[in-house]
């Protein structure tokens, strides 16, 4: 299923596609450059219809050539255009140099542009670096990036915001924070995760008419962009009219040491909202009365150790292990019993920290670390995880097996076989306590209904983030609570609330 979604490519593959297209008479490098500049100018006019004054900063490579084309078209349309050739003109005889000569032949001029000059433009166009970045920007390019960010003007980035690594989504130094990015030919995997979510703004893709035969030259795409409506249609068909609760699995949520009863309540409620037929919660006895009073649909049982857990394990089909578990004697005992049960596991929170202390590999679990937990599992720093999120999620899957879901901006899902799935939904309002507990329960609830592990993780992550987006669209991002997200799941599960945030 994932292989049929929108494909995301590495920088090396994108360049291979460019080269393959350039061998076709209808898609020479100059033709594609003209199409890119025209597509970007058309988008600019639609996004900022009142704009009249343009500032364009061009690098010396093909990205700069796209900028020269856009500047020429704007100049011919009667716009005042101020253009700076940062770090010198393109290489003589190159396609970018041809675009520059045409711009000048049509009456355009190059000049030095300051922050004050940029501040007078209605829109600033970033055509500095493109996909060529493999180190922090330096010299005049770094200065130009700083000037763009200091201008306070709307910014359109061409292909990739300058300073952003299009493979990893990392900005190792100065980076353009664009309001919109028009990307060309092939979707670059780094534009959909990590710091890219802050830098790209509205991300628009145009294939410039490159035929499929050119894309085929790049081989298999390493990642795909997950799509909630398509995943839901594939994996959540309508229920039979004669269905009963025994058809949809029994989730057992394990956790909630002293002071953390809310975590298991959130996970249990999410499992029930996801459609699990039955949901039980094993937690400290002191938490049971509040759980039953607040959510009577949950079967809450007090446990103090592994022996108390045994009869609950005998009835469960999927375990959600970790919310509020702790790493003390209680948590270690329940963690060990859950692993020994042989049941499918969704592993989160302190269960991941316990796993980091005693690593093992198995096929029948879904691990859901945030970057800090991922770093502990891999024995590296959080910064190293965020520097290459694709590499980190693959390394986690290779080491621990099963399915790994690396949370964060642009959540990634990996089973070691299918392309890495990238979640395009979510917003900063989700940066609050309990969100991970809801995701754990949601995935467990889907898995209990018979979905494959990869499907449960991918669909669960999309539903979780899309529910938060639906709430944010109506009420704003600040103040989102994890329980709000759980309550917002049913319309999305049933295809009743895709809304504008899903592009519907």
């Amino acid at each position: 299923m994932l292989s049929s979604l929108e494909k995301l490519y590495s920088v090396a593959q994108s360049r291979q596609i460019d080269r393959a297209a350039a061998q076709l008479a209808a898609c020479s490098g100059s033709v594609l450059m003209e199409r890119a500049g025209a597509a970007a100018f058309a988008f600019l006019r639609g996004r900022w219809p009142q704009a009249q004054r343009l500032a364009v900063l061009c690098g010396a490579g093909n990205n700069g050539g796209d900028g020269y084309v856009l500047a020429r078209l704007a100049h011919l349309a009667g716009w005042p255009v101020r253009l700076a050739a940062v770090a010198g003109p393109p290489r003589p005889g190159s396609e970018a140099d041809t675009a520059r000569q045409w711009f000048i032949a049509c009456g355009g001029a190059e000049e030095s542009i300051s922050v004050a000059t940029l501040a007078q433009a209605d829109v600033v166009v970033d055509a500095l670096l493109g996909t060529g970045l493999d180190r922090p920007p330096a010299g005049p390019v770094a200065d130009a990036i700083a000037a763009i960010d200091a201008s306070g003007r709307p910014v359109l980035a061409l292909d990739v915001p300058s300073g952003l690594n299009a493979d990893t989504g990392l900005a190792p130094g100065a980076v353009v924070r664009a309001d919109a990015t028009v990307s060309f030919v092939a979707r670059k995997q780094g534009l959909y995760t990590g710091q890219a979510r802050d830098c790209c703004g509205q991300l628009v893709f145009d294939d410039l008419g490159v035929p499929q035969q050119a894309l085929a030259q790049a081989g298999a795409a390493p990642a795909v962009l997950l799509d909630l409506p398509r995943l839901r249609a594939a994996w959540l068909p309508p229920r039979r009219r004669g269905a009963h609760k025994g058809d949809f699995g029994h989730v057992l949520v394990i956790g909630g040491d002293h002071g953390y009863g809310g975590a298991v309540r959130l996970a249990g409620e999410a499992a029930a909202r996801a459609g699990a037929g039955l949901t039980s919660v094993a937690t400290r006895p002191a938490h049971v009365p509040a759980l039953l009073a607040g959510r009577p649909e949950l079967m809450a049982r007090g446990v103090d150790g592994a022996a108390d857990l045994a009869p609950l394990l005998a009835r469960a089909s999927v375990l959600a292990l970790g919310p509020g578990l702790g790493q003390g004697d209680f948590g270690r005992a329940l963690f060990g019993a859950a692993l020994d049960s042989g049941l499918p596991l969704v592993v989160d929170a302190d269960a991941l920290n316990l796993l980091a202390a005693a690593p093992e590999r198995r096929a029948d679990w879904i691990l859901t670390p945030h970057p800090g937990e991922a770093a502990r599992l891999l024995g590296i720093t959080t910064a190293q995880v965020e520097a290459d999120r694709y590499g980190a999620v693959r390394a986690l899957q290779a080491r621990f097996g099963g399915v790994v879901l690396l949370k964060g901006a642009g959540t990634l899902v990996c089973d070691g076989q299918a392309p890495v799935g990238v979640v395009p939904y979510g917003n900063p309002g989700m940066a609050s306590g309990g969100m991970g507990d809801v995701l754990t329960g949601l995935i467990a609830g889907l898995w209990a209904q018979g979905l494959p592990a990869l499907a449960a993780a991918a669909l669960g992550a999309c539903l979780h983030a899309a529910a938060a987006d639906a709430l944010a669209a109506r009420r704003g991002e600040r103040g989102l609570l994890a329980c709000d997200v759980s309550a917002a799941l049913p319309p999305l599960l049933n295809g009743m609330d895709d809304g504008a945030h899903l592009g519907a």
Side-chain angles (χ1 to χ4, degrees):
M1 171 61 196
L2 295 192
S3 60
S4 68
L5 299 173
E6 293 288 356
K7 295 175 173 58
L8 307 180
Y9 293 95
S10 68
V11 168
Q13 287 177 307
S14 297
R15 291 174 179 165
Q16 192 170 358
I17 293 167
D18 282 335
R19 289 193 296 270
Q23 303 302 311
L24 305 174
C27 291
S28 68
S30 292
V31 168
L32 292 179
M33 193 170 286
E34 285 293 316
R35 291 177 183 174
F41 186 47
F43 171 80
L44 189 157
R45 299 180 79 167
R47 170 71 189 264
W48 294 284
Q50 306 304 316
Q52 295 181 333
R53 295 168 298 178
L54 202 61
V56 183
L57 284 78
C58 293
N62 285 346
N63 193 246
D66 299 340
Y68 278 109
V69 173
L70 185 153
R72 185 187 83 236
L73 296 174
H75 176 76
L76 292 174
W79 291 34
V81 177
R82 306 188 74 168
L83 182 146
V86 178
R91 176 176 54 82
S94 66
E95 290 148 352
D97 180 56
T98 300
R100 173 179 179 261
Q101 298 301 332
W102 287 2
F103 169 70
I104 293 172
C106 290
E110 298 169 328
E111 57 182 290
S112 298
I113 297 182
S114 65
V115 174
T117 305
L118 293 177
Q120 297 172 11
D122 295 318
V123 179
V124 176
V125 176
D126 162 31
L128 291 168
L129 290 178
T131 60
L133 179 83
D134 58 4
R135 63 181 65 87
V141 172
D143 293 340
I145 291 172
I148 291 173
D149 289 341
S151 71
R153 306 309 301 151
V155 177
L156 173 64
L158 303 190
D159 206 22
V160 179
S162 294
L164 184 71
N165 186 307
D167 265 335
T168 65
L170 174 71
V175 63
V176 169
R177 298 187 180 276
D179 296 272
T181 300
V182 182
S183 190
F184 308 119
V185 180
R187 298 179 189 270
K188 287 81 177 172
Q189 63 178 19
L191 301 190
Y192 295 87
T193 194
Q195 290 174 269
R197 297 291 294 267
D198 277 327
C199 298
C200 290
Q202 179 186 359
L203 183 55
V204 177
F205 173 68
D206 193 313
D207 66 9
L208 304 184
V210 170
Q212 279 297 125
Q213 65 190 94
L215 272 70
Q217 298 300 310
V224 293
L225 197 62
L226 299 177
D227 178 77
L228 175 55
R230 292 176 66 184
L231 300 185
R232 184 181 53 223
W235 288 326
L236 284 183
R239 289 183 167 182
R240 295 182 298 104
R241 295 300 89 191
H244 58 84
K245 63 187 178 184
D247 294 332
F248 303 115
H250 187 161
V251 173
L252 173 60
V253 179
I254 302 172
D257 200 355
H258 292 305
Y260 296 98
V264 284
R265 154 75 190 273
L266 288 167
E269 182 169 349
R273 294 283 189 190
L278 294 167
T279 304
S280 294
V281 177
T283 186
R284 287 286 193 181
H287 298 144
V288 171
L291 276 167
L292 294 177
R295 181 54 63 198
E297 296 89 347
L298 303 179
M299 296 179 288
R301 302 294 179 87
V303 299
D304 285 313
D308 298 331
L309 194 61
L312 303 179
L313 292 170
R315 299 176 55 204
S317 51
V318 171
L319 307 183
L321 176 65
L325 183 66
Q327 299 181 61
D329 291 342
F330 174 82
R332 290 196 300 272
L334 299 190
F335 176 80
L339 265 60
D340 290 343
S341 72
L343 291 168
L345 292 155
V346 182
V347 184
D348 188 36
D350 274 327
L352 291 169
N353 294 324
L354 291 170
L355 178 62
E360 65 175 90
R361 194 177 196 278
R362 56 191 289 176
D364 60 343
W365 59 15
I366 299 171
L367 311 184
T368 63
H370 59 54
E373 292 159 344
R376 287 188 283 277
L377 288 165
L378 291 173
I380 60 177
T381 67
T382 302
Q384 287 174 303
V385 170
E386 291 289 71
D388 183 1
R389 288 173 53 80
Y390 289 101
V393 77
R394 291 188 180 102
L396 285 164
Q397 198 286 325
R399 181 173 298 185
F400 294 96
V403 175
V404 178
L405 185 151
L406 178 59
K407 294 184 283 198
T411 290
L412 306 179
V413 185
C414 177
D415 74 343
Q417 299 179 7
V420 173
V422 185
V423 177
Y425 316 114
N427 65 79
M430 300 174 73
S432 64
M435 289 288 177
D437 302 320
V438 170
L439 178 60
T440 297
L442 172 56
I443 292 172
L446 293 170
W447 201 5
Q449 294 172 68
L451 277 70
L454 179 61
L459 181 56
C462 287
L463 286 164
H464 183 250
D469 284 350
L471 290 166
R474 293 194 289 267
R475 294 154 44 182
E477 294 176 353
R478 286 187 173 87
L480 284 185
L481 298 180
C483 57
D484 297 335
V485 172
S486 186
L489 288 170
L492 283 166
L493 280 157
N494 294 288
M496 299 167 60
D497 186 26
D498 283 350
H501 64 283
L502 295 188

